[in-house]
Amino acid sequence: MKRLRADRWTGQLLVARSSQRGCCPAAAGALRSARSDQHYLPVRSQWTAVSSPFSEATETTFATTLQAPRDPSELPSPIPERALHSAKLASLHARLSLPKKLPIQTLARTLVDASADENPLFNNVNLAFVGQTVINYHVSEYLMARYPRLPMEIVWASMRGFAGVAPLFQIARSWGVESAAVPGGEVDPGLLQFTTESPGVSLTKFGYRRTEAMYLEKYKWRRGISNRVVFDDDFGESVNVTPGTEQTAHEAEMQKKERENDEEEEENEYSMRRYGDDVTRSLAEKAHAHFVRAVVGAVYMHCGRDAAHNFIKAHILSRTLDFGRLFSFKKPTMELALLCDREDFDPPVARLLSETGRQSRTPVYVVGIFSGKDKLGEAAGPNLDHARLKAAMNALKAWYLYSPGEHVRVPSDMLADSAKKWEPAYIDIGEIISR
Amino acid sequence: MEAQLTRRTAASCCQHLILSSASSRSSRVLLRPVRIPTTAAGARKQSTRSRTKRALNIPPHPSFLEPQQKPGGNHIVFNPPASAPSVFHTPFKFLPKSDPRRRANLPASLFASSTTIQYNHTTPSSTSQLDDPDFIANAPLIGSDCSTPKPHHLTPTDVEEIRRLRTEDPVKNSVAVLSERYKCSKLFIMMCVSSPREHRDKIKSALEMVRQRWGPRRAAAREDRRRRWEMLFNSEL
């Protein structure tokens, strides 16, 4: 008897082709249920050694389940075949103008969060990882080319502003994606499926876990910028995932506290937990963000580099981020003086340009910062000190927010065929003060 | 500021006239040269009413007038309202050497004072006071003047002496007293030496006592002031 290659079957379901090849939903259902019963052993792929092949017993169980598929409501997430009959999925596909190459089954898979379905063959973790990498690459490249003088902290803040969890959550909401109340095999595959009961898995990040990671949050140890550049992830946040739990220590602590509260409030019929709190909200936002990343990953895998770049430009980089509001200064006048010293400009002086109502309750002073004859910044304020500091901050922002132009070329533009010759982008010599 | 506001109002009235009816009489009235009140008090009042009216009758922005080269033709009016400058407009000085904008603006800024080479043949787009170098040079300075070089006159032995004095008797040798004696800033004294912990704790508890005597109004006002400073540095104001 020829042996059943179950992993190949799932592979077929997983890699949904554009020519929708028939695959048996019953088989898929059977597989899923078998896995949930712990008969099916770790995920095998072509290059892993077969540590524990199917035993005869497993095969027989498998055969019986094949003949009698279980109730879909026992599955953790809908089977891929049902994606073809979901109106929500079809409309989402059309609304996002996704290319035809991206099959609807893959789109369905992007909607299954790891907290709903732990099986990496059916949830969106792999696609989200690819998507996260592609998004972060394009956003950071854009920031570097568009605003070459941004300090590293502002770069991280703007990375969070473009590609962090909060903006991606907003994007998912703006796409009109709704979430299922409770995930399961019977729900519409066009709904985002996640649960706030279990945290799911966190995506692998590029960064190192420090040996002293446990104490960083506890004692609020300072992390210098150069230290963070080396160790931290793309958003400047410390990688603090404890290997066993796949969850940051902070989150684990929060959850533990929540659970304790829950146990206390168990008698209370109307506990806060039922209506959501900070933890559930953050989990929901994370699930939405993973969905957006997974869609980008799916576009990248099915339609290629250019389509993914265009998709990111259309949905992520097109969003408005007020860079002027990201800055927070401590000693702006000193920083400006250091800048002028470094660049061999005349030392900056503040001059009063105009004023009104000095004797009144609401005076306004307009102060300009000059270096030699050139005005570097100007601001109005209710007293001379405010106006002067604000003018200095405006001058510093004008320095930091220098941009070579609105439509700068980024290195990934060179990957296109018939790209023009690359002109070196402007790179600044570095930050004014080290933090 | 007052004068500026008045001028804007006059200009916008003038714009209305030119664009709608282009009545020559009214523009002639507006074109009549008058003295703009520039006294320190920003005098809006002359000794008679008619003189006040005439004084406040300011000529329109040059962009509103018909160009002398092409009378009767269409022209673009460019006189944006007064607004805070955007931080996204990089000052010329901050442009890197390789920036094309620098090359484009260089001749104009190089020969700005030249009487023979004129790069701007059209009417000047703005008649800002900032174009006037005398105005900038005469504008009052605010804060510490960075242009005077710092003396840097203290030697390591002086610093040692400062440390010794401050540690011995922090009450008598306060920061203000030491900075006065050594002709340096208070910040420098504080950089050299920090007072003993007992002294600091004493000062802190005394401040706390003072703070406890504040009523709700003063406490709220202080808190508001602190938050205003915080908002200022976070660019929220």
Side-chain angles (χ1 to χ4, degrees), chain A residues 33-47:
Chain A
S33 54
R35 181 165 166 70
S36 64
D37 290 349
Q38 300 296 318
H39 289 307
Y40 191 87
L41 287 160
V43 183
R44 279 176 54 208
S45 53
Q46 289 177 346
W47 56 88

Side-chain angles (χ1 to χ4, degrees), chain A residues 147 149 322-330 332 336 339 345-356 364 366-367 370-376 378 384-386 388-390 393-399 401-405 426, chain B residues 1-2 4-5 83-102 109 113 128-130 133 135-148 187 225 228-237:
Chain A
Y147 295 107
R149 279 180 188 159
D322 190 358
F323 286 86
R325 295 287 300 274
L326 297 178
F327 289 86
S328 167
F329 295 97
K330 284 210 175 73
L336 187 63
L339 168 72
F345 299 152
D346 296 330
V349 288
R351 289 182 188 278
L352 181 63
L353 298 180
S354 72
E355 62 168 87
T356 182
V364 176
V366 180
V367 170
F370 292 87
S371 164
K373 282 183 196 165
D374 301 294
K375 192 178 78 173
L376 304 180
E378 183 189 314
L384 287 170
D385 262 358
H386 267 218
R388 182 171 59 94
L389 291 171
K390 213 167 151 187
M393 285 190 276
N394 281 348
L396 280 172
K397 280 182 197 170
W399 168 267
L401 290 173
Y402 159 75
S403 170
Y426 173 74
Chain B
M1 194 46 103
E2 295 268 345
Q4 266 185 12
L5 286 173
S83 57
S86 163
V87 290
F88 290 93
H89 291 164
T90 315
F92 181 75
K93 206 160 200 174
F94 283 170
L95 291 175
K97 297 271 185 309
S98 60
D99 198 276
R101 276 166 286 181
R102 193 175 192 91
S109 62
S113 56
S128 168
Q129 291 167 318
L130 290 180
F135 173 79
I136 296 169
N138 293 332
L141 283 171
I142 299 169
S144 58
D145 187 7
C146 302
S147 55
T148 51
L187 179 70
R225 187 188 295 174
R228 270 203 299 277
W229 276 102
E230 204 178 294
M231 285 171 81
L232 174 77
F233 285 121
N234 291 339
S235 42
E236 288 164 336
L237 272 184

Side-chain angles (χ1 to χ4, degrees), chain A residues 208-379:
Chain A
Y208 297 94
R209 185 170 186 274
R210 292 182 180 80
T211 42
E212 74 274 16
M214 289 290 284
Y215 304 107
L216 275 178
E217 279 168 11
K218 195 173 169 189
Y219 297 116
K220 305 268 185 308
W221 281 354
R222 177 180 169 274
R223 293 171 292 149
I225 292 290
S226 16
N227 183 286
R228 292 170 69 184
V229 168
V230 175
F231 282 106
D232 289 355
D233 67 358
D234 297 341
F235 306 109
E237 284 154 3
S238 61
V239 179
N240 196 10
V241 175
T242 37
T245 60
E246 288 290 329
Q247 187 184 14
T248 67
H250 182 61
E251 281 172 354
E253 203 170 283
M254 273 173 80
Q255 278 233 323
K256 201 175 140 199
K257 217 179 277 174
E258 282 300 320
R259 291 228 183 83
E260 279 165 11
N261 285 347
D262 274 5
E263 279 160 21
E264 284 170 17
E265 288 173 7
E266 200 67 3
E267 308 88 51
N268 189 355
E269 198 182 343
Y270 301 102
S271 66
M272 283 297 286
R273 183 80 174 170
R274 287 181 56 185
Y275 298 100
D277 49 28
D278 286 349
V279 176
T280 55
R281 198 170 299 124
S282 77
L283 287 174
E285 287 187 2
K286 212 157 77 178
H288 281 82
H290 281 3
F291 156 67
V292 175
R293 285 169 178 154
V295 170
V296 173
V299 171
Y300 182 77
M301 297 309 288
H302 282 284
C303 317
R305 196 179 56 214
D306 290 339
H309 191 184
N310 289 335
F311 191 83
I312 289 170
K313 265 198 252 180
H315 291 276
I316 294 171
L317 290 178
S318 64
R319 290 165 66 82
T320 310
L321 180 69
D322 190 358
F323 286 86
R325 295 287 300 274
L326 297 178
F327 289 86
S328 167
F329 295 97
K330 284 210 175 73
K331 289 186 190 314
T333 44
M334 194 192 79
E335 204 171 329
L336 187 63
L338 284 174
L339 168 72
C340 289
D341 192 39
R342 189 185 83 174
E343 300 291 322
D344 279 339
F345 299 152
D346 296 330
V349 288
R351 289 182 188 278
L352 181 63
L353 298 180
S354 72
E355 62 168 87
T356 182
R358 189 181 272 258
Q359 304 292 337
S360 75
R361 188 177 171 277
T362 50
V364 176
Y365 301 93
V366 180
V367 170
I369 299 269
F370 292 87
S371 164
K373 282 183 196 165
D374 301 294
K375 192 178 78 173
L376 304 180
E378 183 189 314

